[in-house]
């Protein structure tokens, strides 16, 4: 159980003393940092000291909450009470123990929806731009029947750091947003009375958090205030971003299920499974049933001891990506019934899974032995009002749009997306490049390395059973030209491959290939480049050759498959300019088209495996003069309406499906009728 004495939020120190004293402290701190940095640098240079890996943390449990004959699930989503701390006193609520009574008895509260970011819910810039802690609270009852069960409290994600109390008892603490955590609360629950859950959420990002940020103090009209700085290009939304669940398990329960699927030479599916029960008792035994989509039993296995076994699916229907097969995204269900010596079927858990193979070479990446060509997007979890809050209407709409446009993949730029979205990807056949939350990685330190590795460990633990996940991305645009980047990423890559050797690893690199120290550790090289936007702005005649040369250079240097993980142009919907001019819809379409030419040239050279537009939809960023209402590189607006480029991209993605994946049932409205002659030309091209 965490110790309350360690709980004071990380930015409190800025306000414990008077201003001049702070200046003095800061001067001394800066001097110390400078000296330490200098000494550290000398140590690195002279002795070549390496970053050490330290202690690796291991996640346990966290099966997605699902009902069964032995489990009940209750949602705690809804409207919670909410209070923002005074920015200058982020620990006030802790000192005054607000968690011991109703939040409204300690401070002013307002209504706050869960799940949602809190930033855009109220009309107050102080909430939107808040730095530090906020409080959430709600009440709930649990039925008496739960008294004989274990009761768990599970959060899909609280950004960035969370402390959770049940009826005044601290039950959980978790760092790193975008990832789930849970805790058993059986002994803290009142079964006959009302219960209270209180959450403290801290959004502060430091140089050792994932992603990194920095708190600086600045003068304002209201005195000195902390400002959160970060280099990444999306708004640091915060709050309880994903669903909160209460669920029950029996006393002895299934804690984890780990799957490892393959296809044998006769086309049978091989499903390796490992079941972990909480009691680790070797007298446990389990029955494992595999069902096909039509609910027919296709294999049954009985295991005991280590609860490890292999099921076989005759003539397996493989999981294929969207448009790569006439029956994509085929999912089976595994049903696990755990028994103990004392009781049969104590716990039952079911989950869907797919069977597919992944292989990669120096030039290609294969799914079910067929080369993959990614037609995809970089995305964000972002929308108006909700920020990064999970929203099923939005999720469903986004997957409908992905299918409408003919995409077969996206990267979870730049952090793990919701578990529900991973389930959607499995169901829709969308391949996922699954990214951990490390963005613009810099100022390498041991603590950062531990957190970075922990973020990957939590991500892989959460997503390892999803057939849609085909690759891990270990960072976005890390500063891989800097001192220590080499040792740091050698360790991150080693650790990721150790956790999951069945998938290739990548990172989206923006550093020039001559100074980069990371690509050598990757299986697949992804690069981000904004030709005609950040470089040679407006020059549509300086795109195609540059893209071809850069991709070819990466392949020649490292002899690995290459994909372009970001390209694009900010575009204000409704702005039209001829000839094409930056920010106009014409410019975005023409800039895409220049990339398409490059991609087609690259495809014929054999090592180029995919294209990911930046971005699926417009999204909010920190306020800056380079952004008009946020980043406008979306192919869709923030409200998910298509810009002109969406129609162009749709044609290309379906044409590629037709050319590469023999998918010929194209949407009838792909080409609008213009003339008999044109229609003929379009058809001939396919
Ligand atoms: C990038 C980043 C992405 C930004 C994008 C841009 O390279 O990876 O997070 O949003 O550029 O539009 O500047």
């Amino acid at each position: 159980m965490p110790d309350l004495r360690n709980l004071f939020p990380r930015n409190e120190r800025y306000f414990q003393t008077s201003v001049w004293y702070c200046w003095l402290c800061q001067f001394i701190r800066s001097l110390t940092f400078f000296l330490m940095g200098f000494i550290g640098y000398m140590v690195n240079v002279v002795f070549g000291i390496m970053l050490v890996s330290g202690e690796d943390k291991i996640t346990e449990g966290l099966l997605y909450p699902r009902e069964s004959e032995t489990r009940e699930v209750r949602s705690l989503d809804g409207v919670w009470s909410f209070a923002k701390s005074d920015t200058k006193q982020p620990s006030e609520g802790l000192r005054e123990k607000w968690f011991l009574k109703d939040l409204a008895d300690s401070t002013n509260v307002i209504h706050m929806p869960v799940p949602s970011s809190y930033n855009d819910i109220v009309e107050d810039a102080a909430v939107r731009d808040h730095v530090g802690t906020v409080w959430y609270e709600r009440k709930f009852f649990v039925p008496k029947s739960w008294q004989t069960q274990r009761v768990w409290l599970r959060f899909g994600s609280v950004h960035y750091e969370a402390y959770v109390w049940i009826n005044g008892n601290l039950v959980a603490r978790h760092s790193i947003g975008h990832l789930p955590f849970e805790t058993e609360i059986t002994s803290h629950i009142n079964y006959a009375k009302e219960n209270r859950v209180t959450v403290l959420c801290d959004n502060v990002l430091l140089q050792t958090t994932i992603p990194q940020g920095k708190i600086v103090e600045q003068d304002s009209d209201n005195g000195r205030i902390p400002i959160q700085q970060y280099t990444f290009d999306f708004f640091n939304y915060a709050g309880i971003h994903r669903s909160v669940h209460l669920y029950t398990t029996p006393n002895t329960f299934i804690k984890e299920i780990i799957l490892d699927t393959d296809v044998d030479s006769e086309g049978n599916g091989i499903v390796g499974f490992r079941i972990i029960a909480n009691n680790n008792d070797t007298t446990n035994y389990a029955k494992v049933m595999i069902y096909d989509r039509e609910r027919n039993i296709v294999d049954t296995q009985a295991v005991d001891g280590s609860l490890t076994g292999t099921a076989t699916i005759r003539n397996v229907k493989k999981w294929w990506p969207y448009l790569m097969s006439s029956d994509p995204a085929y999912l089976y269900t595994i049903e696990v019934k755990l028994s103990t010596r004392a009781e049969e079927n104590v716990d039952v858990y079911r989950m869907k899974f797919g069977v597919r193979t992944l292989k990669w070479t120096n030039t290609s990446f294969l799914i079910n032995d067929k080369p993959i060509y990614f037609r995809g997007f970089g995305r964000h979890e972002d929308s108006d009002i909700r920020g990064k809050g999970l929203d099923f209407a939005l999720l469903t709409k986004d997957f409908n749009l992905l299918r409408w446009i003919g995409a077969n993949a996206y990267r979870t730029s730049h952090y793990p997306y919701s578990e529900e979205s991973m389930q959607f990807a499995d169901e829709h056949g969308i391949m996922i490049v699954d990214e951990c939350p490390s963005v613009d990685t810099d100022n390498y330190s041991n603590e950062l390395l531990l957190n970075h590795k922990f973020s990957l460990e939590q991500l892989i633990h959460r997503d390892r059973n999803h057939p849609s996940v085909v690759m891990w991305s270990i960072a976005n645009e890390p500063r891989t030209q800097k001192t220590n980047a080499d040792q740091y990423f050698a360790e991150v890559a080693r650790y990721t491959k150790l956790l999951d050797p069945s998938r290739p690893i990548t990172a989206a690199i923006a550093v020039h290939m001559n100074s980069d120290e990371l690509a050598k550790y990757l299986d697949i090289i992804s690069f981000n480049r904004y030709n005609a936007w950040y470089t040679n702005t407006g020059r549509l005649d300086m795109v195609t050759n540059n893209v071809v040369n850069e991709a070819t250079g990466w392949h020649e240097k490292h002899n690995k498959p290459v994909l372009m993980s970001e390209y694009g142009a900010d575009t204000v919907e409704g702005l039209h300019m001829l000839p094409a001019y930056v920010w106009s819809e014409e410019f975005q379409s023409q800039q895409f088209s220049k990339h398409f030419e490059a991609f087609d040239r690259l495809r014929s050279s054999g090592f180029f495996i995919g294209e990911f537009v930046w971005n699926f939809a417009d999204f909010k960023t920190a306020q800056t003069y380079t952004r008009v209402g946020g980043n406008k590189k979306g192919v869709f607006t923030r409200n998910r309406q298509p810009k002109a480029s969406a129609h162009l991209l749709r044609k290309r993605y379906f044409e590629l499906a037709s050319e590469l994946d023999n998918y010929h049932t194209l949407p009838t409205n792909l080409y609008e009728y213009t003339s008999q002659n044109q229609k003929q030309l379009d058809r001939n091209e396919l």
Side-chain angles (χ1 to χ4, degrees), residues 232-234 380 411 414 439-440 476-477 508 510 528-530 533-534 566 570 614-615 619 621 627 631 633:
F232 54 82
D233 185 38
F234 53 92
H380 268 295
R411 176 168 61 116
H414 297 308
V439 198
D440 298 355
N476 180 72
E477 300 199 353
N528 298 349
R529 192 67 61 213
Y530 287 86
W533 190 257
Y534 293 126
E566 287 185 25
D570 282 271
W614 190 259
N615 186 283
F619 58 91
T621 62
R627 298 282 177 250
N631 188 308
K633 294 195 186 69

Side-chain angles (χ1 to χ4, degrees), residues 18-39:
S18 67
V19 169
W20 78 264
Y21 182 66
C22 278
W23 276 101
L24 185 68
C25 289
Q26 255 200 336
F27 174 73
I28 295 169
R29 208 180 301 145
S30 305
L31 191 69
T32 317
F33 278 163
F34 172 77
L35 288 172
M36 280 167 56
F38 182 71
I39 293 166

Side-chain angles (χ1 to χ4, degrees), residues 177-246:
H178 320 290
L179 289 159
F181 61 96
E182 67 180 4
T183 185
E184 187 179 354
I185 55 171
T186 316
S187 58
H188 301 289
I189 293 276
N190 296 321
Y191 291 90
K193 289 194 288 184
E194 196 175 56
N195 293 280
R196 185 181 58 241
V197 52
T198 315
V199 178
L200 176 72
C201 162
D202 187 352
N203 68 355
V204 165
L205 300 177
L206 302 172
Q207 284 298 284
T208 49
T209 57
I210 310 289
Q212 293 165 283
K214 198 175 3 176
I215 298 287
V216 296
E217 289 171 67
Q218 279 183 1
D219 287 326
S220 77
D221 294 343
N222 303 316
R224 275 184 89 67
I225 52 164
I227 303 286
Q228 174 73 69
Q229 293 184 341
Y230 47 89
T231 59
F232 54 82
D233 185 38
F234 53 92
F235 194 84
N236 187 33
Y237 278 116
I240 304 181
H241 278 159
R242 296 180 191 151
S243 291
V244 186
H245 288 110
L246 284 175

